[in-house]
Amino acid sequence: MKRKSKVQERPKEEEATMARTLKDWRVLLMVGLVIFSLVSIYVVPPGIQNGPTGNLQLGLDLEGGSWIQLSFQSEVIRFDTDGNPENLAANLRSALDAEVYLIEEDRLEIREPFTREELVPVFEEFGATIITYEQGVSEETADQVKLILEEKVNGIGTKDARINTLTGLNGVTQYIRLELAGVDITTAQEIVGSQGKFEIRIQASGNETEHVLYGDTITSVSPPSRYPVGSDLWGVGFTLNEEGAAAFRTAAVTYGATSNPDMHPIMMLLDDEVVYSASLNPELAAQLQGSPVRELRATTGAGDQGLEDAKTLEIHLRAGALPVDVTIAGSGTVPATLGDYFKFMCVLAGLFALVGVGGLVYYWYREPAIVLPMIGTNIAEIIILLGIAVYLQQLDLASIAGLIAVLGTGIDQLVIITDEVLHEGRVPSQTLYMKRFDRALGIIMVSALTTIIAMLPLALMDLANLKGFAIITILGVLIGVLVTRPAYGKIIMAILSRNPGEKS
């Protein structure tokens, strides 16, 4: 009777152990993230309406589309001079009839295509010598171009787009690459060259506004700067041609902006949306009473927010026109049928990888109670990774390669945990189990850290598709170490403890 009682109690103990395991915070976290990921992919609109891929952002390789690589018609010059660098930049601006900006005390950017041979005598004329000549733009200008192109892409509702600046170790960016999934090459080229309708209007009376001028009267736009110099106020300067300056003065005087600025603010609109509104400052209002003013400045505020607003306003003032001329250095298309083929092959490769590692693990352990939790944990890890990728990363062939790599390394680490906690094929006591599990987790964390360090250069550098591979790999490693490995440890402990002291 006593033996029978123990046999009857054993299933109840196993059920209680499994219930405690399912309520463990590590397991609940993994299950919660899986649900979150499935919701992000298939439930959040438009979700399942997009087909089997849901909200996953598919890249050019898998969706089909176009790519364009642009070359900047500009150069970055490092120089040496005994004079004032700012005076040199101003003199060059006048002599070359081009936009010239001082990047550092001994470096400047010329936003027109000139050869070194053409520039040497001009620099010598103003008492300066050229030390280095590099075609391209500064990182600041490259970032501005990227922002403008992103706004253009967002304006046509294209979410599956990638824009990468290709910057060298010298900090000079010579190329920028656009990948637009689902967009034909003609549309892609139009995106690069299109401009919006920029307009300045003035508050007349009540809610009525009157047209003042269009963006074609703006001859130049300066980068964001502080004014007065030394203050914390940011703004953007721009220059009007004579016709625009006369129209601006006439409107300001006619509608009372010079006599009562607060009641008649000046508004800037891009594609009929107000992007900036402010009253004339008293000094400018007084100047306009007497004569037209060509040099104007829009102040955006103080601090970091003022700087960000100034950067955005500069883009609006340019009406989507790039600050530097570009030429198409290369372009191409990926047909939609080829993208569908790549998608099919990626799914097939993933299934083969999953079946392959599952078969190898089964051959090693010959125990379904161990193999199934391993495969299930691995699948959960991939689902979580895809759910996070919805918000962070576009999936292309390189990213899919990262997913398959994560699948393989994930199983490898689960094998390390399982082999470490088993002692001569037997399940140890709970105390010894936790000690060995912690040791296995420590080994995995060190391995994960080395992988992250190895991938960081690829993730941070502008290496196009390789960046996606590195980001997916790093995310997969982090999800494994922080979520799925601890959860697997609790699950496998509950399964193995059902048969203590027996061979696994």
Side-chain angles (χ1 to χ4, degrees), residues 408-428:
T409 57
I411 286 289
D412 182 46
Q413 292 175 357
L414 297 181
V415 168
I416 292 174
I417 292 174
T418 307
D419 281 354
E420 185 68 26
V421 299
L422 289 174
H423 178 61
E424 296 179 353
R426 297 176 181 273
V427 183

Side-chain angles (χ1 to χ4, degrees), residues 224-246:
S225 60
R226 291 186 176 94
Y227 187 83
V229 177
S231 73
D232 197 30
L233 285 175
W234 289 94
V236 180
F238 60 100
T239 304
L240 303 176
N241 60 22
E242 292 183 5
E243 180 185 347

